[in-house]
Amino acid sequence: MLARAALRSLQTPGLRPTAATYRIASSTVWSRSMARNNRPPNIAPKKPTDYSKTANAPIGKPVGSAPISSQQPPKSIDRRPEFSKKQPEFGKGAAGAVGAGSGAVNSASKKGEEKDFSEKQSEFETGTSSSENTAPQASSESAVDPAEAQAPSQPLPDLTRGIPSTLEYETTGSTSKSPLKLNLTEAEEPEAPGGGGRGRGELPASAYVSSSEKKRLRFANYMYAMFAVLSVTGTVFLGRNWETEEEEKAHPDAPSGWAVGLMWARAKARLGDQLNYYNEPAFRKLLPDPDPIFERPYTLVLSMEDLLIHSEWTREHGWRMAKRPGVDYFLRYLSQYYELVIFTSQPWAVAEPIIRKLDPYHIVTWPLFREATRYENGEYIKDLEYLNRDLSKVIILDTKASHVQKQPENAIVLKPWEGNVQDKELVSLIPFLEYIHTMAYSDVRKAISSFDGQHIPTEFARREAIARKKFQEQVEEEKKKRPKHSGMGFLGNALGIKHQSMMMDPADQTPAEAFAQGKMLQDQARERGQRNYEALEKEIRENGEKWLKEEAALEERAKEEATKAMKSGFSGWFGGSK
């Protein structure tokens, strides 16, 4: 129905008879009719048949009382078949109705079929085989050159780089007799041997470069030239002679002179000094000169991460931080023997709040952060040369050997603490560190090297047990040789007078009394240190909150003064009163 309506709408209104009756043939007859009416122009159409003289009109032609020849023919005859609204082949009496199968031809239409629609078609009667008939046939207009047919197929050129310009063809080829063709879709032909220029229609590589790309390349060349000029100028400037004698003494490998090698050496030295500003610590002296009043004979440098604290992240709680068991006792007990320094590789903004919570009473004398480290080969190194302390009196505890690679003889490297609440590794180091102070070692590096490759707390406990056994044997021998009571001792005991040095603490025992009781020197120092620790703990319990409040008040006052100074500075800039 839709096909018939579409065809009817394409009919020319002036050529369609009003009273004529049309019949629609089957699909096969219709295809043949369309093939005849749509032939190429070079094939002459068959002579039209005068249907007025025939008794039976063929299918697809109008049938009526008035002959076609009696009508006025138009200037251009539309050869497309026309169909009437009535279709007898779909009627009740039509043969091959629905049910006869799709594609069945109406028997009534076969009776009046014209010979043009016969089953025998001369255009398909050829001497070729069926396989040759199915091959694609080339028309006369698109005949293929044998030379081109034999030529191997080549890949198409890459046009993603741009369409080549036709300006050269329009300017240089305008006087040529033969028309120039611009080949954009076929592979480029190779250039003729021995000939210069483009060859057989081939474009130069520059033809595929756009104007914007040429501008970028030109700009890049300018930048390269500028960089080369600046490099040479900068090298000459950095390679100038040293301005002071101090600089020349600091760089003995690059003395002053105008030789090219000396200039290059001075340029490298000056550039290295500039880069070292970012790799070396912020100050040449990380700690101030020791104060005689608060001076300690030894300096103990402690790492923070995985030695004093441990931080971890979980999905349930996020970041959490734990303090190692015994940290407070370790810091407060050893503060009487050592100048304590926390040296961390974390930045100041990250580590300073942690240290404040870890040590609210400032038992640690000096904190040092990443700004005090030295950066080399991707590692933050804690160089003790910048501490401004005698390295023979410095001990550093860390969990990474790479942090102490500059002074490994001063370092005790421990295993990282992973959050075990039963850990006692840090506290077990106290006897060894206390022993160094008690025995007043002139060089702590010798004491540390004696435990090389061994677990220091275990080995020190074993050595101490051996020394205690020998000391007990010596005490027993002395008791056998000495009399039990001397005259002066008996008189003093009777009067309640005890001999004691004026420099000793009244609570301390004399060495003779301690030895008589079988106490070693380190036992006496340990008792004295324990009493000092208990006194410090008592002060913290009684006055700790007051100290924190006073510190908070001082900080608040300092902030107010800084804000006032800032406001007065702004008002002074704008001409206000200070």
Side-chain angles (χ1 to χ4, degrees):
M1 296 292 289
L2 293 176
R4 184 170 69 251
L7 291 173
R8 188 162 58 248
S9 65
L10 294 174
Q11 300 292 337
T12 305
L15 298 179
R16 183 169 55 194
T18 57
T21 305
Y22 297 91
R23 298 173 60 195
I24 295 180
S26 62
S27 60
T28 306
V29 177
W30 162 247
S31 301
R32 293 175 182 174
S33 176
M34 291 298 294
R36 185 185 73 246
N37 294 331
N38 295 329
R39 287 175 180 172
N42 55 355
I43 301 177
K46 294 183 179 181
K47 184 178 180 181
T49 305
D50 189 1
Y51 294 103
S52 62
K53 298 179 182 181
T54 58
N56 298 324
I59 299 174
K61 298 299 179 178
V63 179
S65 59
I68 298 176
S69 59
S70 63
Q71 300 177 1
Q72 183 66 25
K75 294 181 181 181
S76 60
I77 301 175
D78 189 2
R79 294 183 178 275
R80 290 175 295 183
E82 297 180 359
F83 305 97
S84 63
K85 295 181 179 179
K86 297 180 180 180
Q87 302 182 29
E89 64 269 22
F90 292 97
K92 293 181 179 180
V98 179
S102 61
V105 183
N106 195 336
S107 60
S109 64
K110 288 184 179 181
K111 293 181 179 180
E113 184 180 6
E114 193 180 354
K115 74 175 183 176
D116 291 342
F117 301 119
S118 64
E119 295 179 0
K120 297 181 179 181
Q121 302 182 31
S122 59
E123 60 269 21
F124 293 106
E125 294 179 359
T126 59
T128 58
S129 62
S130 60
S131 61
E132 293 177 353
N133 280 333
T134 57
Q137 302 295 329
S139 62
S140 60
E141 293 182 355
S142 61
V144 181
D145 188 4
E148 294 181 0
Q150 295 178 1
S153 60
Q154 299 179 356
L156 296 178
D158 185 11
L159 298 181
T160 59
R161 297 165 55 186
I163 303 298
S165 174
T166 59
L167 179 61
E168 188 174 358
Y169 284 92
E170 296 173 1
T171 56
T172 60
S174 58
T175 59
S176 178
K177 295 181 180 180
S178 60
L180 297 175
K181 296 182 179 180
L182 184 61
N183 184 11
L184 299 180
T185 59
E186 297 182 2
E188 298 179 354
E189 298 179 0
E191 185 178 352
R198 301 190 308 273
R200 294 157 50 188
E202 183 181 2
L203 294 177
S206 60
Y208 291 93
V209 181
S210 61
S211 59
S212 60
E213 184 67 20
K214 290 180 180 178
K215 291 180 181 178
R216 285 194 292 268
L217 293 176
R218 192 180 304 113
F219 178 75
N221 293 333
Y222 291 155
M223 294 301 295
Y224 293 150
M226 186 181 299
F227 177 76
V229 172
L230 291 177
S231 299
V232 174
T233 306
T235 303
V236 173
F237 176 74
L238 293 176
R240 67 189 186 279
N241 289 332
W242 300 112
E243 299 175 354
T244 60
E245 295 182 359
E246 289 77 7
E247 290 181 348
E248 188 170 0
K249 291 180 180 179
H251 303 86
D253 298 335
S256 298
W258 292 107
V260 178
L262 295 178
M263 293 180 65
W264 177 251
R266 289 194 297 272
K268 288 175 60 179
R270 282 193 171 97
L271 185 61
D273 293 342
Q274 293 295 328
L275 295 178
N276 287 337
Y277 174 79
Y278 301 97
N279 297 332
E280 292 183 353
F283 306 99
R284 297 297 303 176
K285 292 183 179 181
L286 298 178
L287 300 180
D289 294 335
D291 191 347
I293 300 177
F294 302 101
E295 183 180 4
R296 298 289 190 274
Y298 299 95
T299 301
L300 182 61
V301 182
L302 303 171
S303 178
M304 185 182 71
E305 52 274 12
D306 293 336
L307 180 72
L308 304 180
I309 63 171
H310 175 71
S311 59
E312 62 180 7
W313 186 90
T314 59
R315 296 181 60 183
E316 293 80 8
H317 306 284
W319 279 105
R320 291 192 301 176
M321 197 168 299
K323 186 167 62 174
R324 191 167 191 168
V327 166
D328 293 336
Y329 177 74
F330 181 85
L331 296 177
R332 295 173 186 179
Y333 185 83
L334 292 179
S335 63
Q336 56 186 320
Y337 302 133
Y338 290 87
E339 179 186 28
L340 299 180
V341 178
I342 291 183
F343 200 169
T344 175
S345 59
Q346 298 296 325
W348 174 86
V350 176
E352 197 273 337
I354 299 175
I355 294 177
R356 179 172 293 190
K357 290 184 177 181
L358 177 67
D359 181 29
Y361 303 109
H362 304 287
I363 303 299
V364 177
T365 311
W366 311 108
L368 297 176
F369 307 96
R370 178 178 293 180
E371 292 78 11
T373 60
R374 185 173 185 174
Y375 187 77
E376 285 185 4
N377 301 323
E379 290 285 348
Y380 292 101
I381 302 173
K382 302 172 183 178
D383 195 349
L384 302 181
E385 291 286 349
Y386 293 86
L387 278 183
N388 192 26
R389 294 292 185 269
D390 183 10
L391 292 184
S392 63
K393 310 290 185 181
V394 176
I395 300 175
I396 181 170
L397 301 182
D398 209 301
T399 57
K400 289 185 179 180
S402 59
H403 288 175
V404 293
Q405 57 182 291
K406 291 295 183 181
Q407 295 86 17
E409 63 277 2
N410 292 84
I412 299 175
V413 181
L414 303 178
K415 292 182 179 181
W417 178 61
E418 298 180 353
N420 182 17
V421 296
Q422 304 296 331
D423 179 81
K424 296 181 180 179
E425 188 71 16
L426 188 65
V427 178
S428 62
L429 278 174
I430 293 179
F432 169 72
L433 298 174
E434 183 185 43
Y435 179 78
I436 289 179
H437 177 271
T438 303
M439 303 306 295
Y441 271 88
S442 59
D443 194 344
V444 298
R445 293 171 290 192
K446 295 180 180 179
I448 295 174
S449 62
S450 65
F451 293 89
D452 189 15
Q454 298 175 339
H455 186 244
I456 293 179
T458 304
E459 180 63 18
F460 180 79
R462 187 185 70 82
R463 295 181 184 181
E464 184 180 13
I466 295 174
R468 188 177 298 278
K469 183 178 180 181
K470 292 182 178 180
F471 175 76
Q472 295 294 341
E473 293 176 357
Q474 292 177 1
V475 169
E476 293 297 331
E477 292 179 359
E478 290 291 334
K479 286 182 179 180
K480 292 178 181 180
K481 294 179 182 179
R482 288 183 311 178
K484 293 184 178 180
H485 299 286
S486 63
M488 295 297 298
F490 179 80
L491 181 60
N493 292 333
L495 297 176
I497 301 173
K498 185 193 251 181
H499 176 73
Q500 190 174 11
S501 176
M502 296 179 62
M503 301 298 297
M504 292 181 59
D505 188 353
D508 291 342
Q509 291 179 329
T510 61
E513 292 176 349
F515 291 152
Q517 296 178 5
K519 295 180 180 179
M520 300 173 59
L521 184 62
Q522 59 199 47
D523 295 333
Q524 302 175 36
R526 194 168 298 166
E527 291 178 356
R528 184 170 55 252
Q530 192 66 27
R531 287 195 299 268
N532 294 337
Y533 165 74
E534 292 176 356
L536 178 62
E537 283 291 314
K538 181 180 179 181
E539 288 290 331
I540 291 175
R541 287 194 301 268
E542 294 177 355
N543 304 315
E545 295 183 2
K546 183 179 69 175
W547 294 343
L548 296 179
K549 290 180 181 180
E550 291 177 355
E551 183 180 6
L554 290 175
E555 291 181 357
E556 189 66 25
R557 190 181 307 168
K559 290 180 181 179
E560 292 178 359
E561 293 178 356
T563 304
K564 187 183 298 183
M566 187 182 299
K567 290 180 180 180
S568 63
F570 277 118
S571 62
W573 291 345
F574 292 103
S577 60
K578 294 184 180 180

